[in-house]
């Protein structure tokens, strides 16, 4: 007879022991699993501006271009917040960050994390019998909420030595998942640190973003990375997007950024080669996307289009329409519902802020996909700047809930030579915006994206657009209510 | 032979099993422990304005007055932040909330919590052989950081049915700790919900702070509470402090608040009676304090003195000077170092922002206790309003780091009939301040507390006080640096 107190202590151990064997048992009992594998590649700060298949004639991204040519390229895909941790929390939960609790960055003093009640994509897929594995940048918390069965390699945020900078090595390490003799389908979350800005390392070992007037390296280093054939760019050749100033500093930084993108592209190429070699290319749903726009002031941390409009390339098993271009407006809140739908996981009891766009994966025209919402509150915990956004095909309304404050800057962006050199005394403009308007924003911003794609002319409170503004505001408030936005009460209390 | 995987799983269970017995074994091996017990009573929103021993001639607090008469009453004790969760995190960690990560409220969507690395008072006392137990309001997180061995009863924030409203019942439940036949000393953390404002419960079961024009009940209820002899007050009799408007609404609310204080006083009386009955009164260090000032606009959530200057009554074992009045300036960051010092726990490896005032516990004059610091960033997560404060005996400097924003209101305060009725259209003042100045604050506030104890006349940026201001600002920045304040960088980036 085992005494009751001892039994109570033994039960968790026995449950864990049983769990060690049960997946294999379950797999052996049932017919071969025909559900597709899922590989989600999440880049770090890769904007729509720096991809061949999205129209950049200079940058070399042959593997991503090939993926698009064999799959579907989304032209209207959006993150819901242009900050790393919150965006990844949305990608992995299907909930807006203001609902899942990840209001800002996860690391160091910022310390944001999701609620324990959140049911994440890896946990739901794991519960449905998928093998789940992640490699590279994680940057969400708590680990228990975003639990993967296998952590191939993690890494701290902004760690210069992270494997997330070495995408061919990353891909190589996924071999054990891709080539495993396990009949269960797998979900692989492949998250690079490229092409994020990189901390330089000072002689005393301390990391720093202070490189001015030298450009940030974007992780490029003289020693290179295993398996990477570096693609270098001349500053004179890069294409300067409209949101950036065209200066020697911005061109030098764009050249570094491009090189980091090309490095990542080679990692994607190696990953796809491994999938093909293992015979999994045709039964794997492959997605390529980025958490938010490029790490330049005017993109990342803003909800202007360079911050929130993102690459999304999807290659579906049995795709019927290679090279399709999909114009449905989808957001990162839709990813988890979509992937669970693809995996056949019932989700009627899981509260999502997005919905499945499975029907759109092969590029088929779909209706009812013409509005997305976005929500930013923090990046670093010291940078409070809540914004709520509704974007339709033609218009965007931004509500700046703390517009009295100057627009705050992420540490890596305020120290960027692009910003510093463009805002020296006497400067008036940053890209097409005035510096003054970039730093001091009105409570409402309304843009006609058809006439004004760079979001320069604010139509808010103009009589000609009163009805439009009221309609968008009503949509935005309904979104806030439906997504349990804690900041909704500021409409009443301010 | 037990297989290695099974053994790995069994070990944690065996360790726990061993731990069940080891304290008793350890206790039996060594001589009787002569370290004092510690009972820390933490009230919720009990200001200095509502205690007999602090000069209020109307309110009935005989047990607290008796404790002060038998111990030491501190006249210059300060919380370091006037918001429940952050203040409690400071009380229990000895670190400023901006250092321990508890930047705002813990519950619901606010979701702030301390870093896993924080070493808290109960954990350190437990490791030193103390029995540790808590009852009532907790409101800090994670549980693992602020772990007590015994949780007599917890309760959710603002729960109308919490035992924290029934202080005699609370005291009664501590009997098992106080009277336990265990030779180890105990640390009892006794945290009431009184005299916090109370949620009313609507007929549909939903909680609400909307009671206007009726006063908030402050937990008072017609059915009363077990063991409590309700003390009711006439609105005409209460003393309206200078920070409040003298209106029928404020008087009605103060009367309710007083009643809640008198209820708590009876709970303290019962707790002390239990200590005496168990023979522990003379070997127990007893502290009475509050997390922050009264739950009225102008006190709680502000760092004006009604928000941060607090009751602190201490009764030491073998006290040499009953009825002493101690004027040393101490803050809640000093509590954990002090109690660990009293318990003889070595703390040289624990980073504290406070220091031990053990030498001051019996009322002996001490030198070098003339400055305190305070730090507020959030209350609710939607209420961003970072303030940093240095207060000397005569002066206070407040830096409002987001002074562009209107001053934000806690939900219970903005709905208070005291505020609503005093700020109806046409009103100009709230207490002695203008409503305009209460809502819109300058970046710097500098007060001469000797001439202006109500902090009305802002001396900041006046030429006559330039040297004083520079000196206080230097002290404040040094404090921010020493306490690892993440918001320090706003001095550079704004």
């Amino acid at each position: 007879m085992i005494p009751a107190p001892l039994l109570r202590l033994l039960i968790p151990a026995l449950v864990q022991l049983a769990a060690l064997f049960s997946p294999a048992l379950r797999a052996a009992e049932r017919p071969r699993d025909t559900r597709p594998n899922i590989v989600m590649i999440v880049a770090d700060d890769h904007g729509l501006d720096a991809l061949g298949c999205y129209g950049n004639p200079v940058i070399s991204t042959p593997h991503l271009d090939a993926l698009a040519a064999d799959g579907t390229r989304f032209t209207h895909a959006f993150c819901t917040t242009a900050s790393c941790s919150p965006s990844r929390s949305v990608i992995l939960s299907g909930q807006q960050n203001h609902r899942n609790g990840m209001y800002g960055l996860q690391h160091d003093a910022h310390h944001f994390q999701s609620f324990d009640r959140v049911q994440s994509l890896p946990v739901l897929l794991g519960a449905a019998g998928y093998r789940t594995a992640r490699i590279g940048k994680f940057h969400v918390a708590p680990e228990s909420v975003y639990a993967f069965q296998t952590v191939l390699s993690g890494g701290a945020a902004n760690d210069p030595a992270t494997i997330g900078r070495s995408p061919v090595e990353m891909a190589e390490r996924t071999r054990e998942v891709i080539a495993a003799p396990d009949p269960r389908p797998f979900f692989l979350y492949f998250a690079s640190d490229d092409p994020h800005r990189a901390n330089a390392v000072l002689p005393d070992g301390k990391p720093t973003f202070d490189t001015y007037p030298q450009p940030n390296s974007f992780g490029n280093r003289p020693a290179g990375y295993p398996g990477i054939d570096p693609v270098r760019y001349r500053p004179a050749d890069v294409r300067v997007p409209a949101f950036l100033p065209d200066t020697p500093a911005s061109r030098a930084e764009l050249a570094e950024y491009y090189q980091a993108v090309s490095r990542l592209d080679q990692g994607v190429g190696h990953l796809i080669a491994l999938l093909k070699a293992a015979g999994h290319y045709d039964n794997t749903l492959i997605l390529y996307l980025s958490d938010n726009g490029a790490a330049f002031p005017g993109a990342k941390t803003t909800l202007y289009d360079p911050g929130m409009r993102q690459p999304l390339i999807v290659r579906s098993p049995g795709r019927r329409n290679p090279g399709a271009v999909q114009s449905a407006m989808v957001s990162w809140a839709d990813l988890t519902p979509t992937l669970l739908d693809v995996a056949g996981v019932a989700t009627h009891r899981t509260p999502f802020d997005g919905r499945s766009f499975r029907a759109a994966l092969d590029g088929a025209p779909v209706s009812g996909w013409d509005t997305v919402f976005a929500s930013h509150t923090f990046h670093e915990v010291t940078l409070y700047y809540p914004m709520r956004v509704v974007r339709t095909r033609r218009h965007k309304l931004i509500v700046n809930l703390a517009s009295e404050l100057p627009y705050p800057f992420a540490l890596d962006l305020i120290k960027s030579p692009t910003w510093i050199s463009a805002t020296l005394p006497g400067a008036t403009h940053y890209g097409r915006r005035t510096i003054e308007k970039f730093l001091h924003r009105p409570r409402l911003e309304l843009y006609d994206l058809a006439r004004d794609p760079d979001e320069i002319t604010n139509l808010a409170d103009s009589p000609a657009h009163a009805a439009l503004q009221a309609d968008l505001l009503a949509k935005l408030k309904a979104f806030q209510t439906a997504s349990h936005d804690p900041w909704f009460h500021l409409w009443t209390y301010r």
Side-chain angles (χ1 to χ4, degrees), chain A:
Chain A
M1 185 68 191
I2 302 174
L6 180 59
L7 200 59
R8 260 203 309 280
L9 294 165
L10 283 175
I11 285 171
L14 295 172
V15 168
Q16 285 181 57
L17 191 66
L20 282 181
F21 296 105
S22 64
L25 290 174
R26 283 205 305 271
E29 280 163 9
R30 65 178 177 230
R32 185 171 172 81
D33 201 323
T34 57
R35 295 177 296 178
N37 305 309
I38 299 170
V39 172
M40 181 152 65
I41 306 166
V42 179
D44 201 356
D45 302 350
H46 185 189
L48 209 57
D49 49 286
L51 260 165
C53 57
Y54 279 94
N56 185 313
V58 175
I59 198 164
S60 170
T61 52
H63 299 100
L64 289 165
D65 299 346
L67 191 68
D70 199 34
T72 303
R73 181 172 65 83
F74 283 72
T75 58
H76 288 73
F78 298 85
C79 66
T80 69
T81 190
S83 174
C84 171
S85 300
S87 184
R88 283 155 203 261
S89 79
V90 176
I91 290 169
L92 291 174
S93 76
Q95 292 190 344
Q96 294 289 335
N97 76 84
H98 61 235
R99 185 180 203 167
N100 72 39
M102 196 93 216
Y103 309 134
L105 295 178
Q106 173 266 329
H107 67 290
D108 294 350
H110 317 303
H111 203 219
F112 287 100
Q113 49 195 302
S114 287
F115 301 108
D116 288 336
R117 64 169 177 264
V118 171
Q119 298 178 287
S120 75
L121 177 63
V123 168
L124 291 167
L125 285 176
Y130 268 71
R131 292 183 284 140
T132 64
R134 68 174 169 88
I135 186 163
K137 184 153 180 163
F138 191 43
H139 217 188
V140 289
E143 175 95 32
S144 55
V145 162
Y146 297 103
F148 287 78
Q149 293 154 6
T150 302
V151 179
L152 294 169
S153 182
N158 296 332
D159 174 5
T162 178
I163 193 173
R165 289 289 181 190
S166 185
V168 167
E169 261 187 300
M170 274 178 77
E172 188 56 33
R173 288 208 199 166
T174 68
R175 195 187 284 271
E176 67 176 87
V177 172
I178 291 172
D182 188 317
R184 293 172 298 155
F186 60 81
F187 169 47
L188 173 64
Y189 179 70
F190 184 100
S192 68
D193 283 58
D194 282 329
H196 193 289
R197 279 175 184 270
N199 264 310
V201 181
L202 294 172
D204 66 0
K206 285 193 183 157
T208 180
F209 284 114
D210 284 313
T211 61
Y212 179 80
Q214 294 303 311
N216 188 282
S217 73
F218 288 79
N220 307 318
R221 59 182 191 185
Y225 291 93
I228 297 289
D229 184 14
V231 185
R232 297 195 177 83
Y233 297 87
R234 296 190 314 166
D237 292 339
V238 302
R239 301 296 160 115
V240 181
F243 72 91
L244 286 181
D246 190 343
T247 64
S250 71
R251 285 182 169 271
E253 294 215 308
L254 284 167
E256 298 287 336
Y257 166 56
Y258 280 21
Q259 184 178 337
V261 169
S262 289
R263 177 167 62 246
L264 173 55
D265 179 76
Q266 291 177 39
V268 172
H270 190 59
L271 178 61
I272 288 171
L274 288 175
L275 288 167
K276 286 181 174 169
H280 279 315
Y281 182 64
D282 280 324
N283 61 355
T284 300
L285 178 68
I286 304 170
L287 301 97
Y288 179 87
L289 56 132
S290 175
D291 56 351
N292 50 249
F296 287 86
K300 180 180 179 178
T301 80
T302 80
L303 292 172
Y304 298 130
D305 266 18
M308 69 179 279
R309 193 166 175 181
Q310 295 293 297
L312 175 63
I313 303 169
V314 180
R315 201 276 179 188
S316 308
R319 89 283 181 222
R320 288 178 293 273
N321 194 12
V325 176
Q326 175 57 273
S327 66
M329 292 182 73
V330 301
S331 89
W332 288 182
D334 301 319
L335 288 170
T336 283
T338 301
L339 298 186
L340 291 171
D341 187 10
V342 167
V345 178
T347 57
H348 56 282
R349 289 168 57 192
T350 315
F352 294 127
D353 294 318
R355 57 201 168 112
S356 172
F357 59 86
R358 183 184 187 182
L361 290 176
D362 263 341
V366 289
S367 64
W369 292 86
D370 301 296
T371 307
V372 293
F373 298 94
S375 169
H376 175 99
T377 302
F378 297 91
H379 180 65
E380 298 159 28
V381 68
T382 53
L383 310 182
Y384 180 73
Y385 203 81
M387 301 183 274
R388 299 296 183 266
V389 171
V390 53
R391 190 199 190 282
T392 63
R393 287 198 179 274
R394 178 155 179 187
H395 294 101
K396 183 189 285 183
L397 178 70
I398 303 175
V399 181
N400 297 307
L401 289 166
S403 59
E404 297 89 342
L405 293 174
Y407 184 77
F409 274 81
L411 188 62
D412 58 338
L413 302 187
I414 199 168
K415 296 202 167 182
S416 67
T418 295
W419 176 255
I420 295 172
S421 65
T423 54
L424 294 173
T428 58
H429 280 68
Y430 178 80
R432 292 194 55 213
R433 277 189 195 86
T434 65
I435 294 167
E436 171 62 24
K437 283 195 176 172
F438 189 74
L439 295 178
H440 300 283
R441 304 184 183 181
R443 184 156 173 85
L444 295 181
E445 297 176 72
L446 175 63
Y447 299 108
D448 180 341
L449 301 165
R451 296 186 182 183
D452 177 26
D454 299 324
E455 300 163 87
I456 305 298
T457 306
N458 184 8
L459 305 173
D461 300 327
S462 78
H465 299 87
L468 172 69
Q469 180 174 319
D471 176 59
L472 291 173
L473 209 49
K475 282 190 169 70
L476 192 64
K477 289 183 179 180
F479 156 73
Q480 287 188 282
T481 303
S483 60
H484 300 239
D485 185 352
W487 278 262
F488 183 70
H489 82 108
L490 295 188
W491 289 108
T492 312
Y493 292 162
R494 290 273 319 258

